[in-house]
Amino acid sequence: MKSWSRVALLGAVAATALLAVPAMEHADAQSQNDTDTYRQLSLFGDVFERVRSEYVEEVSDQELIEAAINGMLTALDPHSSFLNSKSFRDMRVQTKGEFGGLGIEVSMENGLVKVVSPIDDTPAAKAGLQPGDLITHLDGEPVLGLTLGQAVEKMRGPVDSDLTISIRRQDAEPFDVTLTRAVIKIRSVRSRMIDDIGYIRITTFNEQTTTGLHSAIEKIKAEKGDKLTGYVIDLRNNPGGLLDEAISVSDTFLEQGEIVSTRGRDPENASRVHAKPGDLTDGKPLIVLINGGSASASEIVAGALQDHRRAILLGTQSFGKGSVQTIIPLSGQVAMRLTTARYYTPSGRSIQQTGIAPDIDVPLARIEKLDSSQARREADLRGALNNPNGNGAAKPETADGEDVAPPPEQADYQLARAIDLLRGIDLYRQRIVN
């Protein structure tokens, strides 16, 4: 192996070449910079050799070099980092939004992998896996002792490869199922109808997000048509993702105007992105839910819709990540994530560290029903006048006399307030028209 002094010398020469300035008037300053660079590289070489030879446990040169590179990047800001081959591969899976796998959403329960839900039209769904199934073995190897991440890594693999999983299902004998891995697309968009309101939840921004959003909107429009009151776009706890997808999602709701601008170290590399004509929601009212977990790409969407007064933001202050990271591939199937720019909302505000303030602040809360059985009403008073139109409507009860349970969305206080606001806007518009 080459001596470290030799490597340091080559590094110093390379650094000198990169820092060279052709202008003669800067020669002295450049020479001083070259000397300082060589001194620092020599210091790094000394530390490297001492750790290599004297650390309490043997550490490979690769581990030390990668740790040093990662330390250099993480010292810059919380979002710059080094991606080794595994991290780089996982990152590409996350941003691409598809991978070779079985098609199940899973969690961990008592050391076993629990099926939360099989994804439609995937090997797991076609094989009849059910929510609540427990996966005990993967290709005969026990799951017990693995972390959830390790188990998921084993379930993913090349498309068309087989995996035998052992299932324990309630009220049934344990059984094995052999599944053939297929291309699985990560669902970043989920939607449903809440009466006359379209609810769309965006969990992350990957390459599938815009397509999923357009499909959700078209499905909602086909179901309700002109009876649709509006949309709730839920960006709570969305950590962000691809900048291009955030721009495309914002463009879905905007007819014109700037969406976002980015400014880096070189002013000449600043960029501005504008919306193209066409609002897929036909101008219907929008409520966007945000909270402290809404970050980066989520804040781009929320900021653009707020600045253009296209939506009302409801919830709590967002996270405040106003920087752009670029993935730069390096040799050896590794890469680095480097912060290269800050982004700004259409009004020119940077949300770095400050976040986006909602238009209506609604903290997370729990709805509890109060006992109203002791409350007195007019009808309870002695000698109260009768209603000339009849005896009045009775309190709605179930067959067993208990109060009717509230719908599931009422358990989500912020979502419930968003629905109330949309219905209030619709009612007000109807009153104005009439």
Side-chain angles (χ1 to χ4, degrees):
M1 178 180 175
K2 294 180 180 179
S3 67
W4 177 250
S5 60
R6 171 78 170 169
V7 175
L9 180 59
L10 291 173
V13 170
T16 301
L18 289 173
L19 293 170
V21 179
M24 294 299 295
E25 59 269 22
H26 296 299
D28 291 342
Q30 184 61 44
S31 178
Q32 181 63 41
N33 288 339
D34 294 347
T35 302
D36 292 343
T37 301
Y38 178 82
R39 185 180 299 113
Q40 295 300 320
L41 286 171
S42 178
L43 174 62
F44 176 79
D46 292 342
V47 173
F48 179 85
E49 286 292 351
R50 295 297 289 269
V51 173
R52 248 175 117 225
S53 60
E54 299 180 22
Y55 184 64
V56 64
E57 295 179 355
E58 186 175 354
V59 186
S60 70
D61 291 353
Q62 180 180 346
E63 289 179 293
L64 288 177
I65 295 295
E66 288 186 357
I69 296 172
N70 195 47
M72 175 175 62
L73 292 170
T74 55
L76 298 174
D77 65 76
H79 307 293
S80 295
S81 62
F82 174 73
L83 302 174
N84 60 25
S85 57
K86 182 180 182 304
S87 300
F88 190 26
R89 185 173 63 252
D90 292 344
M91 184 277 303
R92 283 183 290 186
V93 167
Q94 182 179 355
T95 55
K96 188 175 182 181
E98 61 182 42
F99 56 89
L102 308 178
I104 45 177
E105 297 178 358
V106 295
S107 63
M108 203 66 135
E109 183 176 289
N110 298 325
L112 300 178
V113 175
K114 182 178 181 180
V115 177
V116 175
S117 175
I119 301 171
D120 293 341
D121 299 321
T122 63
K126 293 174 183 177
L129 266 63
Q130 300 176 7
D133 285 350
L134 295 175
I135 300 175
T136 61
H137 292 74
L138 299 172
D139 275 341
E141 297 183 8
V143 169
L144 200 64
L146 298 177
T147 65
L148 182 59
Q150 290 170 334
V152 169
E153 185 74 17
K154 288 180 177 293
M155 286 188 283
R156 292 180 180 176
V159 174
D160 294 330
S161 62
D162 291 338
L163 176 70
T164 300
I165 60 176
S166 302
I167 300 293
R168 184 194 301 168
R169 181 176 294 170
Q170 190 174 11
D171 301 328
E173 290 293 325
F175 59 94
D176 291 346
V177 179
T178 299
L179 303 176
T180 301
R181 295 181 179 94
V183 175
I184 307 300
K185 293 186 177 181
I186 300 172
R187 290 177 58 196
S188 63
V189 178
R190 291 175 170 81
S191 64
R192 71 176 191 269
M193 292 301 304
I194 303 176
D195 296 329
D196 55 345
I197 293 170
Y199 170 80
I200 300 175
R201 166 115 177 98
I202 303 177
T203 58
T204 188
F205 288 86
N206 59 32
E207 292 179 8
Q208 314 296 329
T209 301
T210 301
T211 302
L213 174 63
H214 289 187
S215 298
I217 293 174
E218 292 296 346
K219 181 180 178 182
I220 289 170
K221 288 166 67 174
E223 184 172 342
K224 278 299 178 180
D226 294 337
K227 296 181 180 179
L228 183 65
T229 297
Y231 297 84
V232 175
I233 311 299
D234 192 347
L235 298 179
R236 291 175 297 177
N237 298 318
N238 182 324
L242 297 177
L243 175 62
D244 290 346
E245 288 295 314
I247 292 169
S248 183
V249 167
S250 301
D251 197 2
T252 300
F253 304 106
L254 295 173
E255 286 282 359
Q256 60 182 358
E258 183 179 303
I259 294 175
V260 66
S261 62
T262 59
R263 308 173 203 172
R265 182 174 179 176
D266 186 353
E268 294 184 1
N269 291 334
S271 67
R272 295 179 181 274
V273 182
H274 292 78
K276 296 182 289 291
D279 177 356
L280 198 60
T281 59
D282 303 318
K284 290 287 186 181
L286 296 179
I287 305 295
V288 176
L289 294 176
I290 60 172
N291 65 2
S294 306
S296 192
S298 301
E299 294 172 298
I300 290 176
V301 175
L305 297 182
Q306 184 183 53
D307 281 2
H308 286 291
R309 301 185 179 181
R310 178 62 188 90
I312 295 174
L313 271 55
L314 185 148
T316 56
Q317 193 94 357
S318 66
F319 184 78
K321 179 183 176 293
S323 59
V324 179
Q325 282 69 47
T326 301
I327 304 299
I328 304 173
L330 305 170
S331 60
Q333 299 298 311
V334 298
M336 65 177 178
R337 181 189 287 112
L338 188 66
T339 300
T340 54
R342 290 183 174 89
Y343 70 76
Y344 297 80
T345 68
S347 64
R349 53 181 173 145
S350 169
I351 57 133
Q352 177 63 26
Q353 293 186 336
T354 61
I356 291 179
D359 299 303
I360 302 176
D361 187 63
V362 179
L364 189 64
R366 184 174 65 247
I367 300 176
E368 293 182 351
K369 184 169 182 177
L370 300 177
D371 183 10
S372 60
S373 61
Q374 304 300 320
R376 291 175 61 82
R377 303 169 63 241
E378 172 72 14
D380 298 326
L381 300 179
R382 185 188 299 273
L385 296 176
N386 292 328
N387 187 311
N389 296 325
N391 294 327
K395 182 180 179 182
E397 295 183 341
T398 58
D400 57 5
E402 294 183 357
D403 294 329
V404 178
E409 59 269 12
Q410 290 296 330
D412 185 336
Y413 183 70
Q414 292 170 326
L415 177 56
R417 299 292 70 78
I419 293 170
D420 289 343
L421 179 57
L422 268 180
R423 288 179 177 152
I425 293 172
D426 185 59
L427 179 61
Y428 179 75
R429 287 181 171 179
Q430 291 179 27
R431 294 282 176 87
I432 293 296
V433 172
N434 295 332

